[in-house]
Amino acid sequence: MEGIAAAASIIAIVQISEEVGKLCGTYIRGVQHAQKEIERLQTKALALHAVLKRLENEPHTSIDGKVIRSCCDELSSIKERLEPRKKQVAMKRFGLRALKWPFTSKEVDLQVQALEQYLALFSTSLQLDIFSKITDAEQKRLLDKLAYVGDAPFNSYENNRKHRMCLKNTRIQILHEIMDWVDDSSSHAIFWLKGLAGSGKSTIATTVASRLRVKSVPLATYFFRRGHGDLAHARKLIPTLVRQLSQCSASYQQQVLSAVENEPGLGQSASLRDQYEKLLIRPIREMAPLSVKHDPLCIVMDALDECDERHDLRMLLRLLAETDDIPTLGLKILVTSRPELLIRHGFERMSTIFHRDLALQDVSRAVVNTDIMTFLKHELKEIQYEFQLPADWPTPDDMNTLSRKAGGLFIFAATSCRYIGGSPQAKPQERLRQVCASVATNKLMTDELDQMYTIVLQNSIKGSYTKEERDAAGTSFRYVVGCMILLFDPLPLAELFRLLQDPHIDSKEELGGVLRTLQAVIDIPRDTGCPVQILHLSFHDYLLGSNRCLDPLFWVDEKKTHRILAGNCLRLLKSTLYRNMCGLPSPGTLREEVDPLTVKNTLPPGVEYACRRWVEHALRGELVVADNGDVHEFLQRHFLHWLECMSLMGRISEAVVAMNSLAAMTELELWDVQTGNCQSHLKPPIADLFLENISPDGNLVSQLKQDGTLMVWDIAMQEYRFTIEPGPISISTAEFSSDGQSLALGFEDGSLSLLDTQTGNQQYRLDGHFAEIEDLTFSPDNKLMVSIAKDEPARVWNIRTGSQLVTKQVSAVKAKFSPDSKLLALVGGKTVHVWDIVLSECRFEREFGPLPNVRLAPLGFSPDGKLLALPGSESDTIQLVDAQTGGGHSTIDGVCHAFLSDSEMLATAMAPGLGRISGHRICLWNVQSQERVSVLGSHRNPVCAIPFSPDGRYLASGDLLGTVRLWDLQKAGSLPGSEFGSNNSTERGEVLFLPNGVLVASIDSGNLRMASTDPGKVRIYDSDTGKCRFEYEGHSVTLSPDGFTVVSMSNDGIRLLDTETGHQCCFQGGRLPVMSPNGQQAAFASNDHSIHLWSVQDSASLFIFKGHSQEISRLVFSPNGKLLASHSNQDRSVRLWNTETGNSVFTLPSYIPKGSISEGGISEGGISKGDISEVDISKDSNSKDSIGDDLVVVMAFAPSSELLVIGNANLVQFWDVPAGCHRFDIFVRAYKLLNLVFSPDSRFVAFVSYTTWVDEVLLWDLNIGECILTISCSSWYPRAEFVAGIDAIFVDGRAYNIGSRELSRTQIADHSRHISDLQMDKSREWITKSSERVLWLPPERQGFHYPVWRNKIATFSTSSRMTLLAFEDEPDARGKDH
């Protein structure tokens, strides 16, 4: 009863609080004074109303009934005093101002304070109720969908070992300032603590995080660490932070769980932007109504500069800058980093309202020195106690010297103390004197620290060494320590030994001994399972810097060492990997079915590291990838084994990225597409290209590396014309001028640079933008250039003077010049603006309809400049308007377009669904009449570019997945074999013709693919193989049984090609090519409904069979080759032809006489030969029993050639060929008949069919006329086969006995050699072998039925590319064949 009373009271409070809010609104309008008091009271009343409205439907047993009644009384009292009295109501009727605010300022303060207390109580209760609604299991399930880096939080095991907290009475001022910032709700949202390497940033971050945790502030931390796997990039940054915050705030967790439930992949594979907006920021915004004033959510990101992914780092800073309401979200973010240029620019772009900076180097040196002195006293006191040194050690002078040498860097003080204390055999007094007496020889800010590192290294090989021994020790050091500091993930000692295999070190214990001499800079944990790693990144920088590490004995050559690591990884993998390492029951075992412990035990950390990182080391070391090299040899022998391991580790996506990167390391060959000869070789210095352009004249190629290096390659001279080294600001886009004489560069800070392509010198620097440059467009006369920056007006520049022209202020995403360069069309928002460059005025504006991607909006002038094509008012349409006035509006269907050079023809790509079409069709239109002239063909994916060749004969079309097709407009069709592409998604859609007619079809991963368009011949060259991709190919290809003849069908008909001599002959208009069993004859159907029989050897016509009146559907040779059967579904007849005499044997009606069908059995017929020749098909064409009512799907001869079978979905006719009569019929119980197979003696016939539930094989004994065996199959389109000499039928490779004697295993095994056990499974996603999954097919190859021959299966994609796969049994580690 108490719960019911509480519920009723809450409902009453909801109503009263709403009424109080409304009454306050009345006073705001009617009372001029006391506005602030009224608004304060109204805000608290409405906030209380919002929370209690949510609480109505939640369990609230945790709320004390007395509290609810007290709140109700409080609100009722306020309401009563706010309600107008009768006198006030009367005065209001006469229009007199009658309202008077009934409360004093002090009374309002007390009321607001009381309502705040109730609000806090009810908000807490609501959060508890929300928590109770979600079960622990459900919470864990959803939170587990957030990727998490366990070593990222400040209190993780690894961070506790690496980072210490500030000593007591040190960093007092800085810590106080940061903690005050956290507590001040009105202060900046972001605090950037910057300082040099070793200045103590991580220690401060650890201390702040610890204090916030003690204060129970909702906290999430992420400590970056270069070269340490997930800690070195931001891929899992947001999910890791969000997961920590979710454990601290119930209301925040609720919003996060809701987001993850709606988008399950959000915490794993989503982009950094989506994760930031949907997982971090949006939940904070949506939790505000739950608790008007929630505790601040704090985030600490330490060592942001150690994020290796520059793109991720740039994006993170940009996201922070773009979050306009971040100061109002109650979110506090502490960031520590070195003041690197990229990070500095990122913070400079932020409003000063968002963030504040504190530079550690700006802190008073006296304060810093005092803190360092406190630290030194503490550490040296410990050493004094441990080694039982005199009480006066160290002396004040020694302390002052160390403090001075530290130069404000705590890492110097820490390294010095670790070195002085050293190992138990160390002599602290001697080492202290050595450090104090050292003299820096360089002139860098890190001089003293570098000298400290040098002392540590030289001491590690101190002793009586000969020069040879010292050199050997240095070589071993550079090998062991150099490799260790360049690992992307640190490894335990045993795994490090396994990977390195130093010939001078015989055991992991010896390796540990070598490293322990460097324990002042290297951490060697006692737990053998923990990784060995350097203590501070500054040691890594010291060893790699030739200007810092001046002793050649210790300097590490970074590229050389990366190459060594790549070789070590390959060596380890070659000796470790083999097939089915985890002993899986079948190749198709899914990863989730494998015990993770099995994978962990099979692939120890060293092997896992080598699998994941060998390609990356090869890239960083610029390893040469060549034929018969280490990489080539490894891939030939272990590529599939490596893929298997990557899949088991759940890293298959990394393998794909690795292979793309490796492909880019191979040489790029540019081919002369007229002669077919390789013109030049282009070997990128490093395979991390992400932006390429080819000049319009085809003479230059620009390449931009991910590190910011720009290279321009001269194709004719076969050399780099010039190289631009990376600067502080990254290049975002590059574009050649129309004449190829200039190269424009756009930068991320909005600046522009115009380079002379002959020398690489800068012609102009253009400033005006403040955001990243996204696109550049040159005018055809090379006088003007348009630059487009993110969310800024487009700007037009005179590139001859470097001045900016006055234009309409349009935030554009796309620009096009007219052919005479006098007009400029800009796409901005949902409007196309046309600007007159000469008159500096806007000619007209046209709005268009919704587009999925405005950057792909159709926009372009006709070659004569009279028309402008722009997006239509409806989706998937194009408007054609007068380019001068914007009038003369007409609309055609399409999403992408191109004008022919004479402006009379227009090509468009139509979206699926337009005009009841499927696919993205390529159409030609008459510009004057707006009528569609022809449909060339289609793409499966959205088309982004369709240029005409200069002579107007060819049209190229390229889609967003990199597929390119070439169309011959004279024949209105796709050129045979002219489809090629990268299968890599691209937004650039690089498809263009050069002036010489060469088609540049795609630019991806360092590969240029080009095609020539010589009249009468098409060649396609692929730079990754250096071979001609196409010279003659057909749409369908048939190989003769002897392998000497190819019969193909192409646009121009049937071709016969001798594979030995290359001789070929052609028959125009042919289709349905078939080869005779002996390969001596070829038959095909003609467009005039006749059948042509050719001699393959003589390339001459033998006979022309005429008789069909409609299109022929099927041709089949008899096994002895003497007969040819033809069928037409349209004239509904089957005809038999004698291939030796050329005569017609007889004509069969494709129908069955009424009443002759016996369902499920055989019915005898009595049609004589004479009856057959006189059959009038037209009279019985409407018979319900006619096969013609259903398309004939099977037609075959028995092995003896004396029985012909034709059948539709479930009705089969058997005809006696010698007697010329209808023998019998079989009605097959099936939804559809797929195929039939005879036994060698023609006694048995197997029908392959499918019902609505399952595919079946029905075995009939023709001697007794019964179905003797029904086999249900798990595969899709099951395969039935007979083998001579054994009484069995093999279905999908499994033997079923059909004789009187049992089959022995030896018999089955002996004959199974001739049977293919390859098939598609029911899902149509897997190829199976002996009913076990062996190969998963990518989506574009799923859903098809593929031909199989013994151990081979031919697969094809939706783009008609065929791949022949051969499966060979190979024993795995257990001796089991796979």
Side-chain angles (χ1 to χ4, degrees), residues 1220-1285:
C1221 67
H1222 170 240
R1223 287 272 301 275
F1224 53 85
D1225 310 310
I1226 293 179
F1227 183 82
V1228 182
R1229 293 178 181 272
Y1231 175 70
K1232 185 174 182 180
L1233 185 63
L1234 300 176
N1235 194 16
L1236 63 85
V1237 182
F1238 278 97
S1239 63
D1241 59 3
S1242 300
R1243 174 183 173 182
F1244 300 99
V1245 61
F1247 298 101
V1248 181
S1249 64
Y1250 74 83
T1251 66
T1252 54
W1253 302 280
V1254 67
D1255 289 8
E1256 293 180 334
V1257 174
L1258 309 174
L1259 184 65
W1260 283 71
D1261 187 332
L1262 300 184
N1263 287 350
I1264 62 176
E1266 292 181 359
C1267 178
I1268 62 172
L1269 183 62
T1270 300
I1271 304 170
S1272 297
C1273 305
S1274 59
S1275 64
W1276 180 58
Y1277 209 120
R1279 187 173 58 259
E1281 299 172 86
F1282 292 94
V1283 176

Side-chain angles (χ1 to χ4, degrees), residues 511-526:
L511 175 62
V514 171
L515 294 177
R516 284 188 181 89
T517 63
L518 299 168
Q519 61 184 5
V521 289
I522 295 178
D523 177 27
I524 307 174
R526 294 180 180 178

Side-chain angles (χ1 to χ4, degrees), residues 436-455:
C436 291
S438 65
V439 178
T441 57
N442 214 336
K443 295 184 179 180
L444 301 175
M445 292 179 64
T446 56
D447 279 359
E448 295 292 353
L449 179 62
D450 295 344
Q451 185 62 26
M452 182 69 250
Y453 285 143
T454 302
I455 292 173

Side-chain angles (χ1 to χ4, degrees), residues 21-32 35 38 42 92 97 99:
K22 291 179 179 178
L23 287 170
C24 288
T26 303
Y27 277 92
I28 289 174
R29 294 188 296 273
V31 177
Q32 291 183 345
Q35 291 284 322
I38 300 172
Q42 184 188 43
K92 186 177 180 182
R97 185 179 296 275
L99 287 180

Side-chain angles (χ1 to χ4, degrees), residues 29-280:
R29 294 188 296 273
V31 177
Q32 291 183 345
H33 68 283
Q35 291 284 322
K36 290 185 177 180
E37 285 83 1
I38 300 172
E39 288 175 354
R40 287 176 61 205
L41 185 60
Q42 184 188 43
T43 300
K44 295 305 174 186
L46 293 179
L48 193 62
H49 173 268
V51 172
L52 290 170
K53 193 72 177 172
R54 296 281 303 274
L55 204 56
E56 276 185 314
N57 300 320
E58 300 289 344
H60 41 264
T61 54
S62 59
I63 305 176
D64 191 340
K66 294 180 180 179
V67 174
I68 297 174
R69 289 192 292 272
S70 175
C71 179
C72 187
D73 293 340
E74 181 73 30
L75 284 170
S76 297
S77 174
I78 295 173
K79 176 192 170 188
E80 183 178 352
R81 293 186 62 181
L82 287 175
E83 286 178 334
R85 303 183 184 278
K86 292 180 180 180
K87 181 179 179 181
Q88 293 173 333
V89 174
M91 292 177 67
K92 186 177 180 182
R93 290 176 183 171
F94 292 99
L96 300 175
R97 185 179 296 275
L99 287 180
K100 181 180 179 182
W101 182 240
F103 301 114
T104 65
S105 216
K106 187 173 183 180
E107 287 176 323
V108 172
D109 289 340
L110 293 175
Q111 290 164 350
V112 169
Q113 184 178 354
L115 293 183
E116 280 184 340
Q117 292 176 351
Y118 293 126
L119 183 60
L121 284 170
F122 294 149
S123 295
T124 303
S125 176
L126 180 57
Q127 292 181 16
L128 291 173
D129 290 337
I130 291 170
F131 261 134
S132 65
K133 284 184 63 178
I134 305 174
T135 64
D136 291 342
E138 180 65 9
Q139 284 184 35
K140 186 177 185 306
R141 183 185 70 82
L142 292 174
L143 289 177
D144 282 346
K145 292 185 178 182
L146 298 175
Y148 189 73
V149 183
D151 289 337
F154 82 99
N155 55 353
S156 68
Y157 177 78
E158 280 300 313
N159 279 325
N160 277 335
R161 291 180 59 250
K162 176 178 170 57
H163 302 305
R164 300 168 61 178
M165 291 178 58
C166 298
L167 284 177
K168 187 178 180 180
N169 296 324
T170 62
R171 298 299 199 182
I172 297 173
Q173 179 183 341
I174 295 174
L175 292 172
H176 183 71
E177 194 169 341
I178 295 175
M179 296 305 294
D180 283 349
W181 162 77
V182 173
D183 294 334
D184 185 358
S185 60
S186 62
S187 63
H188 306 79
I190 302 173
F191 194 117
W192 179 31
L193 181 66
K194 56 187 176 183
L196 301 176
S199 56
K201 301 180 298 295
S202 295
T203 303
I204 294 172
T206 301
T207 306
V208 170
S210 178
R211 292 187 179 184
L212 291 175
R213 179 59 53 85
V214 171
K215 293 178 63 175
S216 298
V217 174
L219 174 68
T221 58
Y222 198 100
F223 279 50
F224 286 95
R225 194 168 187 190
R226 180 168 296 149
H228 281 62
D230 290 329
L231 294 177
H233 54 72
R235 281 175 230 149
K236 298 180 181 179
L237 166 67
I238 301 299
T240 300
L241 294 175
V242 168
R243 191 160 176 175
Q244 294 176 66
L245 288 176
S246 296
Q247 296 168 349
C248 304
S249 170
S251 54
Y252 179 76
Q253 185 185 86
Q254 180 200 18
Q255 303 300 329
V256 169
L257 295 178
S258 176
V260 174
E261 196 163 26
N262 291 334
E263 293 186 57
L266 198 56
Q268 296 283 347
S269 56
S271 67
L272 183 60
R273 176 177 289 275
D274 280 352
Q275 289 182 343
Y276 175 82
E277 292 177 348
K278 298 179 181 180
L279 278 179
L280 182 62

Side-chain angles (χ1 to χ4, degrees), residues 579-580 584-590 640 643-644 647 1279 1316-1321 1323 1325-1338 1348 1350-1353 1355 1365-1370 1376-1378:
R579 187 172 186 174
N580 196 18
L584 306 181
S586 72
T589 303
L590 300 179
L640 292 180
L643 282 183
E644 178 184 340
S647 177
R1279 187 173 58 259
S1316 176
D1317 54 358
L1318 296 174
Q1319 64 193 41
M1320 291 292 295
D1321 75 339
S1323 69
E1325 297 177 358
W1326 284 85
I1327 294 175
T1328 64
K1329 193 173 190 295
S1330 301
S1331 299
E1332 290 186 347
R1333 294 175 302 203
V1334 293
L1335 182 65
W1336 180 83
L1337 295 173
V1348 176
R1350 293 190 177 178
N1351 71 324
K1352 297 181 178 65
I1353 184 169
T1355 71
L1365 303 173
F1367 294 81
E1368 296 181 2
D1369 287 335
E1370 175 187 337
K1376 180 180 178 180
D1377 287 344
H1378 282 288

